[in-house]
Amino acid sequence: MRALLVANPAATTTSARTRDVLIHALASEMKLETVTTEYRGHARDLGRQAAESEDIELVVALGGDGTVNEVVNGLLHAGPDPERLPGLAVVPGGSTNVFARALGLPNDAVEATGALLDALRERRERTVGLGLADGPAGSEDQGVPPRWFTFCAGFGFDAGVVGRVEQQRERGKRSTHSLYVRQLLRQYLEEPHRRRGTVTLERPGADPVPGLVLSIVCNTSPWTFLGNRPLYASPQASFDTALDVLALNRLSTSAVARYATQLLTSTPERGPRGKHAVSLHDLTEFTLHSKVPLPFQMDGDHLGLRTSVRFTGVRRALRVIV
């Protein structure tokens, strides 16, 4: 098997020595070409080259969720075709690694490499669904190119938190769970729309859902992790279905305390619920519109401000080695 390893040298939890060990282990089982990313978007470019090649059968992403997202968008630049395109394997190297952990992989890079090699020997793989987001026709964002996401997207409050974390990382702060918690509190204190949301959810064949402050789109469950604790925003979300949504229409102090507690105690059977929560399951297509520009994030990557985003759930989009 000929494989391409895309390695992010800035991955939070892997050192150069660890990467060398992992590369050596993988190279012992396959014909491996290794490329270290050098700029934002480089992993996407490498994924596209692999998709257009005639002999690469597998792309291994060594890094965090951002690296995985770029590789996936490169592989699927011309659309999903699981039977023709190279498969994807993930060796987690970021701070959270939601996609890898949702697939059932160990969160340790060395252990995950061992699991990957076992899966290749035993020919274990699955075809997972993905989410696609773009700018709706007729909106201010209609020219925004489509982009795939693997586990989640957010429009509004949670995307603002992601944006704040990215700003702190650009200033030299390490990506830690305590950093996320601090930025979440700051986002809440400065959130201008927490009592009256500006977002409306529209979907075919159903009445609009207006007044949303927070809107989380899930392609799998759990939504994320706080340390080793999984958080289930939409417990029914799955790689085998379309998209789920958890939205809140109020972020008062009491509502935040209630829903934060529910998230921290959530399980695969029970997530946040209540009169201010909207939970929708297995949506193939829907759109989020806002009266004002709001932050937007996909797979933990802040993408700036948007007023409208159209989402599509695509089943069986990508072949993954597990």
Side-chain angles (χ1 to χ4, degrees), residues 37-50:
T37 57
E38 299 177 354
Y39 53 87
R40 190 181 182 111
H42 194 184
R44 180 196 60 223
D45 295 341
L46 294 169
R48 178 168 184 159
Q49 293 169 19

Side-chain angles (χ1 to χ4, degrees), residues 4-15:
L4 171 67
L5 174 65
V6 178
N8 180 1
T12 309
T13 58
T14 54
S15 64

Side-chain angles (χ1 to χ4, degrees), residues 57-76:
E57 301 174 67
L58 177 69
V59 178
V60 183
L62 171 54
D65 289 310
T67 302
V68 174
N69 180 276
E70 286 195 12
V71 169
V72 167
N73 275 277
L75 285 171
L76 274 62

Side-chain angles (χ1 to χ4, degrees), residues 90 98-105 126 128 220 239 320-322:
V90 179
V98 179
F99 181 64
R101 295 164 83 176
L103 287 170
L105 293 171
R126 64 181 291 193
V128 300
T220 188
F239 287 128
V320 182
I321 308 302
V322 289

Side-chain angles (χ1 to χ4, degrees), residues 12-13 165 168-169 172-180 182:
T12 309
T13 58
V165 170
Q168 294 299 312
R169 292 186 66 182
K173 300 285 187 180
R174 292 191 66 234
S175 179
T176 62
H177 298 294
S178 62
L179 176 63
Y180 274 89
R182 290 196 303 271

